[in-house]
mmCIF file of all heavy atoms in Angstrom:
data_model
loop_
_atom_site.group_PDB
_atom_site.id
_atom_site.type_symbol
_atom_site.label_atom_id
_atom_site.label_comp_id
_atom_site.label_asym_id
_atom_site.label_seq_id
_atom_site.Cartn_x
_atom_site.Cartn_y
_atom_site.Cartn_z
ATOM 1 N N ASN W 22 -2.364 1.012 -18.734
ATOM 2 C CA ASN W 22 -2.076 1.431 -20.102
ATOM 3 C C ASN W 22 -1.089 2.588 -20.160
ATOM 4 O O ASN W 22 -0.413 2.777 -21.150
ATOM 5 C CB ASN W 22 -3.367 1.826 -20.820
ATOM 6 C CG ASN W 22 -4.291 0.640 -20.981
ATOM 7 O OD1 ASN W 22 -3.852 -0.461 -21.255
ATOM 8 N ND2 ASN W 22 -5.576 0.856 -20.778
ATOM 9 N N LYS W 23 -0.995 3.388 -19.115
ATOM 10 C CA LYS W 23 -0.147 4.572 -19.135
ATOM 11 C C LYS W 23 1.142 4.405 -18.346
ATOM 12 O O LYS W 23 1.989 5.265 -18.379
ATOM 13 C CB LYS W 23 -0.925 5.784 -18.617
ATOM 14 C CG LYS W 23 -2.122 6.097 -19.494
ATOM 15 C CD LYS W 23 -2.787 7.366 -19.085
ATOM 16 C CE LYS W 23 -4.016 7.559 -19.947
ATOM 17 N NZ LYS W 23 -4.017 8.815 -20.623
ATOM 18 N N LEU W 24 1.282 3.306 -17.621
ATOM 19 C CA LEU W 24 2.499 3.073 -16.842
ATOM 20 C C LEU W 24 3.408 2.116 -17.589
ATOM 21 O O LEU W 24 2.959 1.139 -18.183
ATOM 22 C CB LEU W 24 2.162 2.478 -15.472
ATOM 23 C CG LEU W 24 1.373 3.346 -14.512
ATOM 24 C CD1 LEU W 24 1.125 2.594 -13.213
ATOM 25 C CD2 LEU W 24 2.086 4.652 -14.227
ATOM 26 N N ASP W 25 4.701 2.392 -17.543
ATOM 27 C CA ASP W 25 5.694 1.532 -18.170
ATOM 28 C C ASP W 25 6.081 0.446 -17.167
ATOM 29 O O ASP W 25 7.043 0.594 -16.411
ATOM 30 C CB ASP W 25 6.916 2.359 -18.585
ATOM 31 C CG ASP W 25 7.943 1.531 -19.325
ATOM 32 O OD1 ASP W 25 7.568 0.478 -19.884
ATOM 33 O OD2 ASP W 25 9.131 1.928 -19.334
ATOM 34 N N ILE W 26 5.277 -0.636 -17.156
ATOM 35 C CA ILE W 26 5.507 -1.714 -16.179
ATOM 36 C C ILE W 26 5.120 -3.049 -16.809
ATOM 37 O O ILE W 26 4.188 -3.120 -17.604
ATOM 38 C CB ILE W 26 4.728 -1.468 -14.876
ATOM 39 C CG1 ILE W 26 5.108 -2.480 -13.793
ATOM 40 C CG2 ILE W 26 3.245 -1.505 -15.079
ATOM 41 C CD1 ILE W 26 5.727 -1.845 -12.608
ATOM 42 N N ALA W 27 5.862 -4.099 -16.466
ATOM 43 C CA ALA W 27 5.580 -5.440 -16.972
ATOM 44 C C ALA W 27 4.324 -6.001 -16.319
ATOM 45 O O ALA W 27 3.807 -5.460 -15.339
ATOM 46 C CB ALA W 27 6.771 -6.350 -16.684
ATOM 47 N N LYS W 28 3.843 -7.115 -16.833
ATOM 48 C CA LYS W 28 2.665 -7.790 -16.276
ATOM 49 C C LYS W 28 2.960 -8.354 -14.884
ATOM 50 O O LYS W 28 2.101 -8.392 -14.023
ATOM 51 C CB LYS W 28 2.233 -8.907 -17.228
ATOM 52 C CG LYS W 28 1.048 -9.687 -16.773
ATOM 53 C CD LYS W 28 0.701 -10.778 -17.768
ATOM 54 C CE LYS W 28 -0.414 -11.617 -17.246
ATOM 55 N NZ LYS W 28 -0.020 -12.918 -16.788
ATOM 56 N N THR W 29 4.197 -8.782 -14.653
ATOM 57 C CA THR W 29 4.629 -9.296 -13.357
ATOM 58 C C THR W 29 5.767 -8.402 -12.874
ATOM 59 O O THR W 29 6.716 -8.153 -13.604
ATOM 60 C CB THR W 29 5.103 -10.757 -13.474
ATOM 61 O OG1 THR W 29 4.018 -11.535 -13.992
ATOM 62 C CG2 THR W 29 5.517 -11.311 -12.122
ATOM 63 N N PHE W 30 5.637 -7.908 -11.637
ATOM 64 C CA PHE W 30 6.582 -6.915 -11.146
ATOM 65 C C PHE W 30 6.678 -6.956 -9.639
ATOM 66 O O PHE W 30 5.788 -7.470 -8.965
ATOM 67 C CB PHE W 30 6.150 -5.501 -11.571
ATOM 68 C CG PHE W 30 4.721 -5.185 -11.191
ATOM 69 C CD1 PHE W 30 4.408 -4.662 -9.947
ATOM 70 C CD2 PHE W 30 3.690 -5.428 -12.075
ATOM 71 C CE1 PHE W 30 3.098 -4.386 -9.586
ATOM 72 C CE2 PHE W 30 2.366 -5.156 -11.729
ATOM 73 C CZ PHE W 30 2.074 -4.624 -10.477
ATOM 74 N N LYS W 31 7.777 -6.404 -9.109
ATOM 75 C CA LYS W 31 7.894 -6.191 -7.673
ATOM 76 C C LYS W 31 7.118 -4.927 -7.325
ATOM 77 O O LYS W 31 7.005 -4.013 -8.141
ATOM 78 C CB LYS W 31 9.356 -6.021 -7.251
ATOM 79 C CG LYS W 31 10.153 -7.303 -7.253
ATOM 80 C CD LYS W 31 11.537 -7.056 -6.695
ATOM 81 C CE LYS W 31 12.323 -8.345 -6.640
ATOM 82 N NZ LYS W 31 13.659 -8.112 -6.051
ATOM 83 N N VAL W 32 6.637 -4.844 -6.092
ATOM 84 C CA VAL W 32 5.895 -3.672 -5.627
ATOM 85 C C VAL W 32 6.723 -2.409 -5.851
ATOM 86 O O VAL W 32 6.219 -1.397 -6.329
ATOM 87 C CB VAL W 32 5.483 -3.834 -4.152
ATOM 88 C CG1 VAL W 32 4.918 -2.549 -3.589
ATOM 89 C CG2 VAL W 32 4.483 -4.978 -4.012
ATOM 90 N N ARG W 33 8.022 -2.455 -5.562
ATOM 91 C CA ARG W 33 8.880 -1.281 -5.731
ATOM 92 C C ARG W 33 8.913 -0.816 -7.184
ATOM 93 O O ARG W 33 9.039 0.358 -7.458
ATOM 94 C CB ARG W 33 10.274 -1.513 -5.175
ATOM 95 C CG ARG W 33 11.209 -2.319 -6.011
ATOM 96 C CD ARG W 33 12.638 -2.386 -5.458
ATOM 97 N NE ARG W 33 12.717 -3.080 -4.192
ATOM 98 C CZ ARG W 33 12.936 -2.482 -3.013
ATOM 99 N NH1 ARG W 33 13.135 -1.206 -2.943
ATOM 100 N NH2 ARG W 33 12.975 -3.192 -1.908
ATOM 101 N N ASP W 34 8.774 -1.752 -8.146
ATOM 102 C CA ASP W 34 8.771 -1.370 -9.557
ATOM 103 C C ASP W 34 7.510 -0.586 -9.915
ATOM 104 O O ASP W 34 7.566 0.359 -10.711
ATOM 105 C CB ASP W 34 8.892 -2.608 -10.452
ATOM 106 C CG ASP W 34 10.215 -3.345 -10.266
ATOM 107 O OD1 ASP W 34 11.206 -2.692 -9.857
ATOM 108 O OD2 ASP W 34 10.239 -4.558 -10.511
ATOM 109 N N LEU W 35 6.390 -0.968 -9.338
ATOM 110 C CA LEU W 35 5.152 -0.215 -9.571
ATOM 111 C C LEU W 35 5.264 1.183 -8.976
ATOM 112 O O LEU W 35 4.873 2.172 -9.607
ATOM 113 C CB LEU W 35 3.945 -0.943 -8.982
ATOM 114 C CG LEU W 35 2.609 -0.200 -9.104
ATOM 115 C CD1 LEU W 35 2.248 0.063 -10.564
ATOM 116 C CD2 LEU W 35 1.501 -0.965 -8.394
ATOM 117 N N ILE W 36 5.817 1.276 -7.781
ATOM 118 C CA ILE W 36 5.990 2.586 -7.138
ATOM 119 C C ILE W 36 6.894 3.475 -7.994
ATOM 120 O O ILE W 36 6.594 4.648 -8.223
ATOM 121 C CB ILE W 36 6.531 2.413 -5.710
ATOM 122 C CG1 ILE W 36 5.446 1.777 -4.831
ATOM 123 C CG2 ILE W 36 6.994 3.749 -5.130
ATOM 124 C CD1 ILE W 36 5.916 1.331 -3.466
ATOM 125 N N THR W 37 7.976 2.897 -8.526
ATOM 126 C CA THR W 37 8.874 3.657 -9.397
ATOM 127 C C THR W 37 8.155 4.107 -10.661
ATOM 128 O O THR W 37 8.289 5.257 -11.089
ATOM 129 C CB THR W 37 10.111 2.810 -9.756
ATOM 130 O OG1 THR W 37 10.799 2.490 -8.557
ATOM 131 C CG2 THR W 37 11.030 3.540 -10.709
ATOM 132 N N ALA W 38 7.354 3.222 -11.263
ATOM 133 C CA ALA W 38 6.622 3.577 -12.476
ATOM 134 C C ALA W 38 5.619 4.700 -12.206
ATOM 135 O O ALA W 38 5.458 5.609 -13.033
ATOM 136 C CB ALA W 38 5.905 2.350 -13.039
ATOM 137 N N ILE W 39 4.955 4.678 -11.054
ATOM 138 C CA ILE W 39 4.012 5.737 -10.703
ATOM 139 C C ILE W 39 4.752 7.054 -10.515
ATOM 140 O O ILE W 39 4.323 8.101 -11.001
ATOM 141 C CB ILE W 39 3.204 5.362 -9.444
ATOM 142 C CG1 ILE W 39 2.269 4.192 -9.746
ATOM 143 C CG2 ILE W 39 2.415 6.574 -8.926
ATOM 144 C CD1 ILE W 39 1.620 3.594 -8.510
ATOM 145 N N LYS W 40 5.891 7.015 -9.813
ATOM 146 C CA LYS W 40 6.691 8.233 -9.607
ATOM 147 C C LYS W 40 7.136 8.831 -10.937
ATOM 148 O O LYS W 40 7.070 10.035 -11.139
ATOM 149 C CB LYS W 40 7.908 7.952 -8.722
ATOM 150 C CG LYS W 40 7.569 7.752 -7.267
ATOM 151 C CD LYS W 40 8.791 7.773 -6.380
ATOM 152 C CE LYS W 40 9.687 6.601 -6.580
ATOM 153 N NZ LYS W 40 10.759 6.503 -5.566
ATOM 154 N N GLU W 41 7.573 7.976 -11.861
ATOM 155 C CA GLU W 41 7.995 8.466 -13.176
ATOM 156 C C GLU W 41 6.813 9.038 -13.951
ATOM 157 O O GLU W 41 6.939 10.070 -14.607
ATOM 158 C CB GLU W 41 8.670 7.342 -13.965
ATOM 159 C CG GLU W 41 10.027 6.964 -13.418
ATOM 160 C CD GLU W 41 10.621 5.737 -14.088
ATOM 161 O OE1 GLU W 41 9.975 5.135 -14.972
ATOM 162 O OE2 GLU W 41 11.751 5.365 -13.701
ATOM 163 N N TYR W 42 5.667 8.370 -13.885
ATOM 164 C CA TYR W 42 4.482 8.822 -14.623
ATOM 165 C C TYR W 42 4.017 10.202 -14.156
ATOM 166 O O TYR W 42 3.679 11.054 -14.963
ATOM 167 C CB TYR W 42 3.348 7.806 -14.487
ATOM 168 C CG TYR W 42 2.097 8.233 -15.203
ATOM 169 C CD1 TYR W 42 2.030 8.187 -16.591
ATOM 170 C CD2 TYR W 42 0.989 8.694 -14.498
ATOM 171 C CE1 TYR W 42 0.888 8.592 -17.265
ATOM 172 C CE2 TYR W 42 -0.151 9.103 -15.161
ATOM 173 C CZ TYR W 42 -0.208 9.052 -16.544
ATOM 174 O OH TYR W 42 -1.329 9.463 -17.207
ATOM 175 N N ILE W 43 4.027 10.417 -12.841
ATOM 176 C CA ILE W 43 3.561 11.721 -12.345
ATOM 177 C C ILE W 43 4.690 12.747 -12.273
ATOM 178 O O ILE W 43 4.469 13.883 -11.874
ATOM 179 C CB ILE W 43 2.856 11.604 -10.969
ATOM 180 C CG1 ILE W 43 3.834 11.149 -9.880
ATOM 181 C CG2 ILE W 43 1.654 10.682 -11.045
ATOM 182 C CD1 ILE W 43 3.257 11.218 -8.482
ATOM 183 N N GLY W 44 5.879 12.335 -12.669
ATOM 184 C CA GLY W 44 7.009 13.258 -12.676
ATOM 185 C C GLY W 44 7.546 13.570 -11.295
ATOM 186 O O GLY W 44 8.094 14.643 -11.063
ATOM 187 N N ALA W 45 7.416 12.628 -10.357
ATOM 188 C CA ALA W 45 7.839 12.871 -8.979
ATOM 189 C C ALA W 45 9.269 12.425 -8.705
ATOM 190 O O ALA W 45 9.827 12.770 -7.677
ATOM 191 C CB ALA W 45 6.891 12.164 -8.007
ATOM 192 N N GLU W 46 9.865 11.659 -9.626
ATOM 193 C CA GLU W 46 11.221 11.151 -9.394
ATOM 194 C C GLU W 46 12.174 12.317 -9.150
ATOM 195 O O GLU W 46 12.227 13.276 -9.897
ATOM 196 C CB GLU W 46 11.691 10.330 -10.593
ATOM 197 C CG GLU W 46 12.904 9.483 -10.321
ATOM 198 C CD GLU W 46 12.636 8.352 -9.358
ATOM 199 O OE1 GLU W 46 11.670 7.608 -9.559
ATOM 200 O OE2 GLU W 46 13.392 8.221 -8.388
ATOM 201 N N GLY W 47 12.904 12.270 -8.031
ATOM 202 C CA GLY W 47 13.866 13.309 -7.699
ATOM 203 C C GLY W 47 13.258 14.552 -7.079
ATOM 204 O O GLY W 47 13.947 15.543 -6.880
ATOM 205 N N THR W 48 11.972 14.518 -6.734
ATOM 206 C CA THR W 48 11.314 15.663 -6.106
ATOM 207 C C THR W 48 10.915 15.316 -4.677
ATOM 208 O O THR W 48 10.980 14.156 -4.271
ATOM 209 C CB THR W 48 10.036 16.074 -6.874
ATOM 210 O OG1 THR W 48 9.063 15.023 -6.734
ATOM 211 C CG2 THR W 48 10.313 16.314 -8.346
ATOM 212 N N THR W 49 10.474 16.315 -3.936
ATOM 213 C CA THR W 49 9.991 16.087 -2.574
ATOM 214 C C THR W 49 8.805 15.124 -2.578
ATOM 215 O O THR W 49 8.664 14.295 -1.679
ATOM 216 C CB THR W 49 9.568 17.421 -1.931
ATOM 217 O OG1 THR W 49 10.674 18.302 -1.978
ATOM 218 C CG2 THR W 49 9.117 17.230 -0.502
ATOM 219 N N GLU W 50 7.960 15.196 -3.598
ATOM 220 C CA GLU W 50 6.784 14.331 -3.684
ATOM 221 C C GLU W 50 7.147 12.846 -3.738
ATOM 222 O O GLU W 50 6.355 11.992 -3.350
ATOM 223 C CB GLU W 50 5.922 14.687 -4.906
ATOM 224 C CG GLU W 50 5.197 16.002 -4.774
ATOM 225 C CD GLU W 50 6.024 17.179 -5.289
ATOM 226 O OE1 GLU W 50 7.240 17.002 -5.573
ATOM 227 O OE2 GLU W 50 5.480 18.278 -5.396
ATOM 228 N N ALA W 51 8.352 12.522 -4.214
ATOM 229 C CA ALA W 51 8.785 11.123 -4.285
ATOM 230 C C ALA W 51 8.825 10.493 -2.899
ATOM 231 O O ALA W 51 8.677 9.281 -2.755
ATOM 232 C CB ALA W 51 10.146 11.022 -4.961
ATOM 233 N N ASN W 52 9.008 11.307 -1.856
ATOM 234 C CA ASN W 52 9.029 10.793 -0.487
ATOM 235 C C ASN W 52 7.689 10.198 -0.071
ATOM 236 O O ASN W 52 7.612 9.448 0.896
ATOM 237 C CB ASN W 52 9.430 11.891 0.494
ATOM 238 C CG ASN W 52 10.873 12.296 0.329
ATOM 239 O OD1 ASN W 52 11.686 11.533 -0.182
ATOM 240 N ND2 ASN W 52 11.198 13.506 0.737
ATOM 241 N N LEU W 53 6.624 10.518 -0.795
ATOM 242 C CA LEU W 53 5.306 9.959 -0.503
ATOM 243 C C LEU W 53 5.326 8.436 -0.608
ATOM 244 O O LEU W 53 4.527 7.747 0.003
ATOM 245 C CB LEU W 53 4.266 10.549 -1.460
ATOM 246 C CG LEU W 53 2.813 10.176 -1.256
ATOM 247 C CD1 LEU W 53 2.333 10.589 0.140
ATOM 248 C CD2 LEU W 53 1.943 10.828 -2.309
ATOM 249 N N TYR W 54 6.278 7.893 -1.361
ATOM 250 C CA TYR W 54 6.370 6.448 -1.578
ATOM 251 C C TYR W 54 7.488 5.805 -0.776
ATOM 252 O O TYR W 54 7.631 4.591 -0.798
ATOM 253 C CB TYR W 54 6.588 6.168 -3.065
ATOM 254 C CG TYR W 54 5.551 6.818 -3.934
ATOM 255 C CD1 TYR W 54 5.783 8.059 -4.508
ATOM 256 C CD2 TYR W 54 4.325 6.218 -4.133
ATOM 257 C CE1 TYR W 54 4.820 8.664 -5.295
ATOM 258 C CE2 TYR W 54 3.353 6.818 -4.907
ATOM 259 C CZ TYR W 54 3.611 8.042 -5.490
ATOM 260 O OH TYR W 54 2.659 8.650 -6.247
ATOM 261 N N THR W 55 8.305 6.594 -0.083
ATOM 262 C CA THR W 55 9.437 6.030 0.656
ATOM 263 C C THR W 55 9.333 6.370 2.133
ATOM 264 O O THR W 55 8.651 5.682 2.874
ATOM 265 C CB THR W 55 10.772 6.527 0.066
ATOM 266 O OG1 THR W 55 10.765 7.959 0.028
ATOM 267 C CG2 THR W 55 10.992 5.988 -1.329
ATOM 268 N N GLN W 56 9.980 7.445 2.584
ATOM 269 C CA GLN W 56 9.955 7.773 4.008
ATOM 270 C C GLN W 56 8.730 8.571 4.429
ATOM 271 O O GLN W 56 8.506 8.782 5.609
ATOM 272 C CB GLN W 56 11.242 8.483 4.449
ATOM 273 C CG GLN W 56 11.472 9.819 3.826
ATOM 274 C CD GLN W 56 12.524 9.776 2.740
ATOM 275 O OE1 GLN W 56 12.689 8.763 2.076
ATOM 276 N NE2 GLN W 56 13.226 10.851 2.553
ATOM 277 N N GLY W 57 7.926 9.037 3.490
ATOM 278 C CA GLY W 57 6.701 9.762 3.817
ATOM 279 C C GLY W 57 6.868 11.273 3.763
ATOM 280 O O GLY W 57 7.983 11.779 3.730
#
Side-chain angles (χ1 to χ4, degrees):
N22 295 321
K23 298 187 184 235
L24 295 180
D25 184 22
I26 188 117
K28 179 181 175 254
T29 302
F30 53 87
K31 286 186 178 182
V32 171
R33 78 174 65 252
D34 296 334
L35 177 60
I36 291 170
T37 299
I39 292 170
K40 287 192 292 190
E41 289 173 358
Y42 179 73
I43 65 171
E46 195 68 50
T48 67
T49 304
E50 289 89 350
N52 291 337
L53 185 59
Y54 306 95
T55 54
Q56 64 256 30

